[in-house]
Amino acid sequence: MLKVATRMDRLGTESAFEILAKAQTMAAAGKSIVNLCIGQPDFPPPAHVIEAGQRAIADGHHGYTAAPGILPLRESIASDLGQRFGVRVDPGHVTVTPGSKMALFFALQILGEIGSEIIYPNPAYPGYESIISFCGATPVSYPLSEATGFSFDADDVLSRITPRTRAIIVNSPANPTSGVLDRGELDRLVAGLERYPHIAVISDEIYSRIIYDGHAHFSLLSYAQLRDRLVLLDGWSKSFSMTGWRLGYAVWPKSLVEHATRLAINCHSCVNNAAQYAGIAALEGPQDTVHTMVEAWSERRQVIVQGLRALPGVR
């Protein structure tokens, strides 16, 4: 028997991908499948994004790029965040990754180790707990409650901090609840964290453009007092229907940029060259397809909610 590292026992999985594989096998066998298992838009990427990717290939963008990503894309990311949230982001603090999941993995590898603790929401994307455990840290969950619209109680989160705490993960809009964090609770969390300047905050904002019912998304980038310990995660998979392009990014505090870059060099070298040009087109081109998708999902959502509410005993 081959001897496997014990840390592999700590690494969980994302069951949606296991079910996806089964669903695809059944579909290939001729079964009629309605696949609701994985967070993948059923719309194609915007036409101008596909054209930009094709043009990049035709123009010869086939080689390695800098590990953090091409500068025009990182500048485009900084500009987009500035326009959406009224903040200034240094492109030098941005790294482009093969999906935001890789940025999350890097952040937790940088911050977590045996003997440390990382606080995360529950219920949540299963990768949080899995990767925290894999890096050797202890996962410490805080509850998200239906009673508060699946926001959190800032005092409750702060009460879970110990001398071993290295980071707190925040996800809004949230997977899987779709809850949007209350601005007042975010204010209280940030104010409370002033007592703990050594604790990092990882803000997963991959769903930031997908908002319903008049809610507003407040990026943690807006809190200047957090910028020297905030890791922001985002990407193109959800809002631009680019799941298979594997394109995401992180905005790092200056002190962590070099660590993230070295991890990228050792892990994936760089993100697909042509895909990065498609990412620029997505951020800088027309946004009407994003709005069209969100409107369609909102209509479907209402149909499903009304149908479920009509069932006896279902809320």
Side-chain angles (χ1 to χ4, degrees), residues 43-68:
F43 291 86
H48 66 278
V49 171
I50 296 173
E51 291 169 2
Q54 293 172 330
R55 185 166 56 252
I57 293 172
D59 288 347
H61 295 288
H62 306 298
Y64 290 120
T65 75

Side-chain angles (χ1 to χ4, degrees), residues 280-295:
I280 296 173
L283 294 179
E284 298 183 358
Q287 302 297 300
D288 53 315
T289 55
V290 178
H291 303 314
T292 298
M293 287 195 298
V294 173
E295 288 174 2

Side-chain angles (χ1 to χ4, degrees), residues 194-210:
E194 291 181 6
R195 304 194 301 271
Y196 307 98
H198 62 287
I199 294 178
V201 178
I202 301 172
S203 184
D204 184 350
E205 302 184 18
I206 189 68
Y207 292 97
S208 61
R209 299 177 196 261
I210 305 174

Side-chain angles (χ1 to χ4, degrees), residues 11 153 158 177 179 193 205 257 279 307 310:
L11 187 63
D153 181 307
L158 292 166
T177 67
L193 284 173
E205 302 184 18
V257 173

Side-chain angles (χ1 to χ4, degrees), residues 151-173:
S151 185
F152 58 56
D153 181 307
D155 291 334
D156 176 70
V157 176
L158 292 166
S159 73
R160 297 170 193 274
I161 292 175
T162 74
R164 296 180 296 277
T165 304
R166 293 285 182 84
I168 297 173
I169 299 177
V170 174
N171 176 212
S172 181

Side-chain angles (χ1 to χ4, degrees), residues 19-102:
I19 300 172
L20 174 64
K22 293 179 181 178
Q24 291 175 334
T25 299
M26 294 171 69
K31 300 283 187 180
S32 177
I33 300 295
V34 177
N35 190 348
L36 302 178
C37 71
I38 200 162
Q40 177 162 270
D42 62 333
F43 291 86
H48 66 278
V49 171
I50 296 173
E51 291 169 2
Q54 293 172 330
R55 185 166 56 252
I57 293 172
D59 288 347
H61 295 288
H62 306 298
Y64 290 120
T65 75
I70 60 174
L71 181 59
L73 177 55
R74 289 184 284 131
E75 290 175 336
S76 183
I77 292 166
S79 176
D80 175 68
L81 292 170
Q83 291 173 14
R84 289 199 288 146
F85 304 127
V87 296
R88 183 184 178 279
V89 173
D90 184 342
H93 293 182
V94 177
T95 64
V96 182
T97 51
S100 62
K101 185 182 293 186
M102 183 67 76

Side-chain angles (χ1 to χ4, degrees), residues 103-117:
L104 170 68
F105 191 89
F106 285 177
L108 292 174
Q109 294 303 310
I110 292 169
L111 296 167
E113 62 182 339
I114 293 173
S116 66
E117 296 176 349

Side-chain angles (χ1 to χ4, degrees), residues 13-16 104 118-130 132 139-145 150 152 169-179 181 202 204 207:
T13 187
E14 190 174 343
S15 57
L104 170 68
I118 294 179
I119 299 172
Y120 72 102
N122 182 33
Y125 163 63
Y128 297 158
E129 182 179 5
S130 174
I132 292 169
V140 177
S141 66
Y142 61 86
L144 300 178
S145 170
F150 295 108
F152 58 56
I169 299 177
V170 174
N171 176 212
S172 181
N175 173 5
T177 67
S178 81
L181 294 181
I202 301 172
D204 184 350
Y207 292 97

